[in-house]
Structures are given as structure tokens and as C-alpha cells.
Amino acid sequence: MLEQGTISIHTENIFPIIKKSLYSDHQIFLRELISNAVDAIQKLNMVSRAGEYSGDIGEPEIQIAIDKNNKTLSITDNGIGMTADEVKKYINQVAFSSAEEFIQKYKSTSDQSIIGHFGLGFYSSFMVAQKVEIDTLSYKEGAQAVHWSCNGSPEFTLEESPRTTRGTTITLHLMEEELEYLEAARIKNLVKTYCDFMPVPIKLDGEVLNRQKAPWRESPSNLSKEDYIEFYRYLYPFQEDPLLWVHLNTDYPFIINGILYFPKLRPDVDVTKGQIKLFCNQVFVSDHCEEIIPQFLLPMRGVIDSSDIPLNVSRSALQTDRTVKKIGDYIAKKVGDRLKELYRDNRDQYISAWKDLGTFVKFGVMNDEKFKKQVEDILIFRSTAELSNQTASETPAVQVQSEGEDAWQDVTPPSSPAEGTEGGSYTTLKEYLERNKERHQNRVFYCTDEAAQATYVELHKKQGLEVLFMDSFIDTHFINFLEREFQDVKFTRVDSDLDQTLLDKDQATEIVDPKTNKTRGEVIKELFEKALNKPKLNIRTEALKSDNPQSTPPAMVLLPEILRRLREMNALMQQQMVEFPEEHILLVNTSHPLIQNLATLNQGSIIQGGGESPTGQLVNMICQHIYDLALMSQKGFDAEGMKGFVERSNEVLTKLTEQATK
């Protein structure tokens, strides 16, 4: 062995670490110094309540002063102050946290938080200052004011001060490259960002810069609906009002306070990025807390404030551990409880919010097994059935977790039910299956585009088949999830195939040509095959049931369920648009008057020596036009396709008017 000893760490190393590594963002120095000032005021309140200080506390405040001539920025508090010994202990001994020691001593009398936990916050001032001075006078009787000064090296001076007022002033002599912090607008912006909800007035030139009141720290009974909405508007200006919110207020198993809002979702919202603001004892930490919030709740907004969330020493990032995971699970459970409560007690409000709320819930169900078990019975779908649902109120609802027994209390003003739920009735999947088990057991008809698939939906409705609307962007994936959950249930989109209930088999087999012994369907199929000349197009002829055949479509394009899903999956994996397949089904409705007239018209066409007769040409054009109309519900035409469609339409109308005027 060559040598054995102890590794030494020199104090001169601490300043380069602070300036270059410990804090990544220079501007947070103001947050740290104001946090220390708030701590000093809170400590004075604590010793006063403990009976160790009988003097006048006065009105707490923090003063910020800018001196452009001397290039100094100062922060003054009227808090507990420090003695010379305390300065030596808490300032000269870097990384020794006075907050930790103080909390232990006054734990039994404290009902307020002490912000600092690291003891390094004060030294963040050396990121922007070439010299830092402390002028302080302790609350202790007979204490001598002291002045501390350091130029960013391990050397410091400590001497008596003529100060006569209790409290502390930190004066920063700013570096040339940091003079932006002498601008009042810059200071106001930083206070609003980091210190807006600190419970002490922060003043600059006599103006109070911060709101002070943190609504999430208030008792829920003290907040009105307007208070919650006003707070949301303050946090997220120019946004629509939230759907509903959850007020978290508990000290077991973690200390967590907060208000979480369900916003109305917009198409441009990035659901992968969180917008919940993270605070630690009312000190702003971050705009994002993806590590805490379960992924499916990231689109939520609001505030979470907890001293139990483990931050790194600069408070700039979370230290992921089991605590973070448990806090995330806890928040998810409370959100689930809130949704169940709303579904049970205020169904109309739940339905009103579902269009936006459903995205959260479905995503959570697919990604969190515990959450799925919580809410699987309250998943609802809009339905074509006429059900006796209550209608939705426009008033956002709120339930809060009470401080005492971890119970939920409804503080939503009662609302009056409206005439009818806009957009139809709502049902759970289990209710749907039970209601339709005799007509189509374990089969679910669904629609993904109400406008494009309106014809198909109406056809099902007229024959008494209930259709569910699954038209949110998440439903393509959610249907696959439901099929795994309900393995004996078949999901069929309304345009994939037609249930036998919708068809009149007797009409389709009727003999219409005794010479060839061909049925109506066979004759019409040959007619369309000839006119369209598309080998990959599968033409089917069926008679659709209806009391009024004119109200049914003359033809429909069908896309088989399995093949359509495979194409959608392949397109998703290759990050491409889903292209319309060449191989698809054209179902021609033989009971429609247009199709019957077309067959009659075709019988009168005469093949001439030079080719097809004008009537035969018209029949072919009408077949093409019927196909175009059926195709429009499945795909949009490109420029060339639309040009051809318009030209054919004009030509058909011209020929029809020519015949009508003969």
C-alpha cells in the first residue's frame, strides 16, 4: 500500500459549483432570496407563538430595492434576523440548513411551512453578484446588529452594524453581465413567476407585486364556484372555463394540497405534455410535473403543492423514487373517486362534460389497471336509442376532499335539469348489451363519423338497431381494448356490413326475366358491372327493408371490418394516411325506385350499329353517378376526381332534361 488517508474537499470549490453546475437558471436567485425572507418572517411568528418573543411583530413584508447608480439589488425582510453566531453557523457553514434545525425545535408550535431545506439557496446570489452583503439584527433582546460581506471567494468579513430595525437585508452588487436585474419590469415578472403565492407581501417602490393568497391552501368551504373559475382564468388566460375540478387537501399518507381542473380539450393540445404547475410550500418550482402525474392525466391543469415531493438541491427537477410513484397513484385514485361521485350524484353534469372528459377516462382505462377498475362501470357512449337520461347542466361541478376524514363533499350548487340532452342519449356498454341481447346478442353497432356515416346510421335506426357513437380520436384504439375486455362481443361499424335484419331476402330473389330466369338482383349486378368496369369492385345486390323505399339509399359502399382495421393499423405503423382500398363492396339496393327505374330504362336501350344507344349511354352514366354518390360517404375526391364527378353530374342532368323535353 502506497498511501492511505482522507480525501479533502476545499471550500473554494463551492463557488464554481454553484455558478456553473448547481443552478442551471440564474434568475432563480431571486426566488431563493425571497424564500429565505419569507422563512425569516415565518420563524418570527413561530417563536412569538412559543412565547419566546413578546415584542411587536408588526405587519410582515418584504421590500425589494433597485439602485441603478450603484448597480445593487437588495431584499429586506422584517423577520427573525440573525446574531453574529447565527451568521457564522448558517451562512459561513455552506449547506447547513437552518430551516431543518429550526423545524425540529419548533415542530410542536408550527402550523406554517419553512421553505428552505438545503441551506444553499442564499449562495445562488453569487451567480449574478460579484459581492454580497448581509445586514441583520436578531429579534433577541440585547442583540447586536452585524454586517457580513463576501466577494465570491472563501474570504468574508463580519463586523458590527449600526442597523436598528429587526430583520435582514441582502444586498447584491451585480456583475456587468447581470444588470438586467436592475430593471423593475424584470423583477416584477420574476416575482409573479416564482413568488406570486407566497404568503407575505412583496413590494417594489411601494407596490405590492404578489397575490399572496394561494387558493389551494384555503379550506374548500371558503371558496365559491367563482373563486375556482377565477383562479383557473388567472393561471390559464384566454382559455375556455374548465369542465370541473378536484380540490386536494390531505396530510395522509402525504402532504398534498392542490386544485386540478379538467379543461375542455382542443385539437392543438399536446396530451403528452403536462400543464400542471408544481409548487413546494407555495414556491413555484416548475410548469411541468410529468414525473408525478400519471400519463393519462397530463392534459389536466391546475396546481399541486407538496413538501413531500423530492426535489433536487436546486429545486429544478424531481428525484424519481417510490414516493413520486405513490403520489401519482394517490392522485389518480382521487380523480377516479371524483368521477364516480359525479356519475352517481350528478349524472347530467357528467354527461355534459363527457365529450372532453371521456378522452381522459378512456386513456386512463387503457393504461392504468387500478384506474380501470375504478371507472369501468361509468364509461358511457352516446347512443341512437331514446333513453330517459337527465340532461346536462352548464354549471361546472366541484367536489373537494375534506381535511378531516379523507371524505368527499359536494359543494356544487344544485342545478335545474334542462329539456333534453343535446346530441342524444348516453349509455354504458353493459346497458347496451343487456338492452339488445334478444335482437342482436353480443354485437355492438358503432359509428365513427356521424356526418359521413349518417345514411348507415339512419338505416339501422329505422330497423330498430341501436348504434353507439365512437367518434373521438382515441376510440379507434379503445374499440380494440374493449374487444379484449369483452372477448365474446363483436364490434361492427355501421358501414362494414349490413345485419340480416336490414335486408328483405324475398325481394332480392324475385324472378324478373322469364327468358333468362334471372332475378332482379342478378340483372342489376350485371348492369353495374358493365357500367363501372372495375374488376376489384365487389358488387352485391340486396333489397333494403323499409316502409318507404325512397328514403333508403340507392347504393352503399361497404368496407369489411377486419380488412379495414388491418389497413388502418398498417397506416398507423408506417405513419401514413389511410388510403381508400381498391377492393371494396358496392351494395346496390334493388328495392329503391331509382334502381328499379334504371333496370326498366336499360330494357328499352337498343344497341345500334355504331355502338351503344343514347339510352344505354345514359344508363351507364347513371350507374357511375350512383356509385360516385355512394363513394362520397367513404372518401373525399381529389381535384381530378371532383372534376370528373362534376362533369358526369352535369352530363347526366343534361341527358335527363333532353329526354324530358322530347
Side-chain angles (χ1 to χ4, degrees), residues 176-224:
E176 288 296 325
E177 62 269 26
E178 305 289 351
L179 297 183
E180 63 182 278
Y181 299 110
L182 294 178
E183 300 298 329
R186 182 76 167 111
I187 297 301
K188 290 179 180 180
N189 179 263
L190 290 178
V191 171
K192 178 178 173 62
T193 299
Y194 292 107
C195 311
D196 208 12
F197 299 101
M198 288 185 180
V200 176
I202 302 168
K203 298 180 179 180
L204 174 65
D205 297 329
E207 177 188 356
V208 177
L209 306 182
N210 61 325
R211 289 169 63 100
Q212 303 165 56
K213 178 184 176 182
W216 64 88
R217 292 275 190 170
E218 294 285 321
S219 170
S221 60
N222 293 337
L223 297 175
S224 66

Side-chain angles (χ1 to χ4, degrees), residues 11 14-15 18 33 36 43 81-99 101 118-126 132-136 146-150 153-158 168-170:
T11 55
I14 190 66
F15 290 103
I18 289 173
L33 295 181
N36 289 346
K43 289 177 181 179
M82 289 182 285
T83 64
D85 287 340
E86 287 169 337
V87 170
K88 293 176 186 177
K89 183 174 183 180
Y90 299 139
I91 300 298
N92 295 343
Q93 294 183 32
V94 177
F96 182 90
S97 175
S98 62
E101 181 186 29
F118 306 115
L120 282 168
F122 165 75
Y123 280 90
S124 66
S125 57
F126 285 98
V132 179
E133 296 179 276
I134 301 175
D135 200 53
T136 183
V146 294
H147 179 269
W148 179 93
S149 177
C150 178
S153 71
E155 304 297 326
F156 68 89
T157 61
L158 184 62
T168 301
T169 299
I170 309 291

Side-chain angles (χ1 to χ4, degrees), residues 392-606:
S393 157
E394 291 298 320
T395 305
V398 58
Q399 287 199 339
V400 298
Q401 184 185 356
S402 65
E403 299 177 9
E405 300 180 0
D406 199 27
W408 291 86
Q409 297 176 345
D410 191 350
V411 295
T412 309
S415 59
S416 302
E419 289 298 321
T421 301
E422 183 180 355
S425 302
Y426 283 78
T427 182
T428 66
L429 184 58
K430 290 182 178 179
E431 290 169 345
Y432 174 95
L433 293 171
E434 178 65 25
R435 193 163 49 246
N436 295 287
K437 64 181 179 181
E438 293 183 4
R439 182 176 287 271
H440 49 84
Q441 185 174 13
N442 288 343
R443 190 173 184 187
V444 177
F445 298 104
Y446 69 95
C447 161
T448 57
D449 188 326
E450 186 172 5
Q453 296 161 16
T455 301
Y456 304 86
V457 172
E458 189 63 25
L459 189 64
H460 284 71
K461 283 177 60 179
K462 286 183 175 178
Q463 296 303 318
L465 298 179
E466 183 179 353
V467 178
L468 299 183
F469 294 93
M470 298 181 171
D471 49 6
S472 74
F473 69 89
I474 199 174
D475 279 334
T476 301
H477 310 286
F478 196 62
I479 290 168
N480 294 329
F481 171 81
L482 290 174
E483 286 180 326
R484 293 194 297 271
E485 292 292 307
F486 301 88
Q487 295 186 5
D488 57 341
V489 177
K490 181 181 180 182
F491 285 75
T492 304
R493 203 166 83 176
V494 289
D495 61 348
S496 64
D497 204 352
L498 297 184
D499 188 74
Q500 296 300 310
T501 311
L502 305 174
L503 306 177
D504 188 342
K505 289 298 183 182
D506 294 336
Q507 279 198 43
T509 58
E510 179 186 347
I511 302 295
V512 294
D513 190 344
K515 294 180 182 179
T516 61
N517 207 34
K518 290 183 179 179
T519 65
R520 182 194 305 273
E522 289 170 338
V523 170
I524 293 173
K525 180 176 181 180
E526 290 178 358
L527 187 62
F528 273 84
E529 285 176 340
K530 176 189 172 188
L532 300 178
N533 191 26
K534 292 180 177 291
K536 293 187 177 181
L537 177 63
N538 180 8
I539 297 175
R540 280 173 46 191
T541 54
E542 301 280 2
L544 299 182
K545 282 184 182 178
S546 177
D547 295 334
N548 179 17
Q550 181 67 48
S551 67
T552 61
M556 306 171 74
V557 169
L558 302 178
L559 299 176
E561 186 83 13
I562 296 177
L563 294 179
R564 191 200 75 244
R565 289 200 204 181
L566 285 174
R567 293 184 67 86
E568 290 174 349
M569 186 182 302
N570 288 334
L572 181 64
M573 293 175 64
Q574 297 173 18
Q575 296 184 334
Q576 296 176 346
M577 293 290 291
V578 181
E579 295 183 359
F580 188 79
E582 283 189 272
E583 298 181 10
H584 54 275
I585 299 169
L586 176 65
L587 187 142
V588 182
N589 177 14
T590 58
S591 64
H592 195 282
L594 173 58
I595 302 301
Q596 294 176 354
N597 293 342
L598 187 64
T600 303
L601 185 63
N602 180 63
Q603 290 176 350
S605 63
I606 302 173

Side-chain angles (χ1 to χ4, degrees), residues 343 350-351 354 362 378-382 426-429:
Y343 179 81
Y350 185 84
I351 290 172
W354 182 254
K362 291 172 185 175
I378 63 172
L379 296 170
I380 59 173
F381 305 89
R382 188 160 60 94
Y426 283 78
T427 182
T428 66
L429 184 58

Side-chain angles (χ1 to χ4, degrees), residues 4 48 55 107 155 181 234 237 375 385 406-407 414 495 559-560 563 579 623 630 635 656 662:
Q4 184 177 12
S48 177
K107 183 170 11 180
E155 304 297 326
Y181 299 110
Y234 178 74
V375 302
D406 199 27
D495 61 348
L559 299 176
L563 294 179
E579 295 183 359
C623 287
K635 64 184 288 287
L656 288 174
K662 285 182 180 179

